[in-house]
């Protein structure tokens, strides 16, 4: 409310041509009549700065505490309990992922020897096929291409 009054008064003082506004303030107390536009502008800036400080998150928390301390404590405790539950869930997920990682590593360890045996068997079959084809074409050298071994 005060901010609006000061903003309106500053606008009126800067317009100087407004006879109605000038006549209204002739009846005002001398403390109001003697103010310069610079002084009103400074009061307006101070008022806006104070309103800005009152709107901060910290001040809102303080006003909530003042209005209802018990409700504020309940809200904060509920928020902390939610964060605790989230932390517990994240820890459980972390542990589950660790177990899955261990299982995957164990499975990889079990499958690597089988893969090595399959690769060896594939190379052996490839050599046998190359030898058979070579024998059919009079001993010409044969190389199978396109096989990734």
């Amino acid at each position: 409310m005060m901010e609006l009054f000061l903003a309106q008064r500053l606008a009126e003082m800067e317009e100087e041509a407004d006879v109605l506004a000038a006549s209204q303030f002739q009846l005002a107390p001398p403390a109001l009549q003697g103010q310069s536009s610079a002084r009103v502008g400074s009061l307006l800036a101070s008022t806006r700065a104070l309103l800005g400080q009152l709107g901060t998150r910290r001040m809102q928390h303080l006003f909530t505490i003042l209005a209802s301390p018990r409700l504020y404590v309940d809200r904060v405790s509920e928020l902390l309990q939610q964060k605790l539950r989230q932390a517990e869930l994240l820890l459980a997920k972390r542990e589950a992922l660790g177990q899955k990682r261990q299982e995957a590593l164990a499975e990889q360890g079990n499958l690597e020897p089988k893969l090595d045996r399959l690769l060896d068997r594939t190379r052996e079959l490839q050599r046998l096929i190359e030898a058979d084809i070579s024998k059919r074409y009079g001993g010409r050298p044969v190389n199978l291409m396109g096989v990734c071994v």
Side-chain angles (χ1 to χ4, degrees), residues 24-44:
Q24 283 180 343
F25 275 96
Q26 285 178 353
L27 301 175
L32 285 178
Q33 288 181 11
Q35 299 296 323
S36 67
S37 62
R39 173 78 176 133
V40 173
S42 136
L43 288 172
L44 179 60

Side-chain angles (χ1 to χ4, degrees), residues 14-31:
E14 289 174 349
E15 288 181 2
E16 294 295 325
D18 192 358
V19 177
L20 180 61
S23 67
Q24 283 180 343
F25 275 96
Q26 285 178 353
L27 301 175

Side-chain angles (χ1 to χ4, degrees), residues 2 24 41 82 94:
M2 182 177 221
Q24 283 180 343
Q82 286 177 358
R94 179 179 168 192

Side-chain angles (χ1 to χ4, degrees), residues 77-106:
S77 66
E78 178 62 30
L79 179 66
L80 290 174
Q81 288 174 356
Q82 286 177 358
K83 292 202 181 277
L84 182 61
R85 285 191 296 269
Q86 288 175 348
E88 289 171 352
L89 283 173
L90 289 174
L91 287 173
K93 286 180 181 179
R94 179 179 168 192
E95 186 176 320
L97 286 174
Q99 288 176 349
K100 285 184 180 181
R101 182 176 180 269
Q102 291 299 325
E103 290 170 4
L105 287 173

Side-chain angles (χ1 to χ4, degrees), residues 23-145:
S23 67
Q24 283 180 343
F25 275 96
Q26 285 178 353
L27 301 175
L32 285 178
Q33 288 181 11
Q35 299 296 323
S36 67
S37 62
R39 173 78 176 133
V40 173
S42 136
L43 288 172
L44 179 60
S46 297
T47 304
R48 286 181 176 159
L50 287 173
L51 286 174
Q53 290 176 359
L54 288 176
T56 63
R57 187 170 178 87
R58 182 171 185 253
M59 289 303 290
Q60 289 173 355
H61 283 290
L62 292 174
F63 288 138
T64 306
I65 291 170
L66 180 65
S68 176
R70 182 70 188 154
L71 180 63
Y72 183 79
V73 168
D74 290 343
R75 283 186 196 167
V76 170
S77 66
E78 178 62 30
L79 179 66
L80 290 174
Q81 288 174 356
Q82 286 177 358
K83 292 202 181 277
L84 182 61
R85 285 191 296 269
Q86 288 175 348
E88 289 171 352
L89 283 173
L90 289 174
L91 287 173
K93 286 180 181 179
R94 179 179 168 192
E95 186 176 320
L97 286 174
Q99 288 176 349
K100 285 184 180 181
R101 182 176 180 269
Q102 291 299 325
E103 290 170 4
L105 287 173
E107 185 177 359
Q108 179 184 1
N110 291 336
L111 292 176
E112 280 180 356
K114 291 179 184 178
L115 179 63
D116 290 340
R117 284 193 305 268
L118 282 173
L119 288 174
D120 290 341
R121 182 69 179 142
T122 303
R123 284 188 199 108
E124 182 183 335
L125 288 173
Q126 183 178 356
R127 282 192 302 275
L128 290 173
I129 292 171
E130 287 173 351
D132 184 53
I133 294 174
S134 177
K135 187 182 350 174
R136 290 183 188 191
Y137 289 99
R140 289 185 184 172
V142 174
N143 293 317
L144 292 178
M145 305 289 284

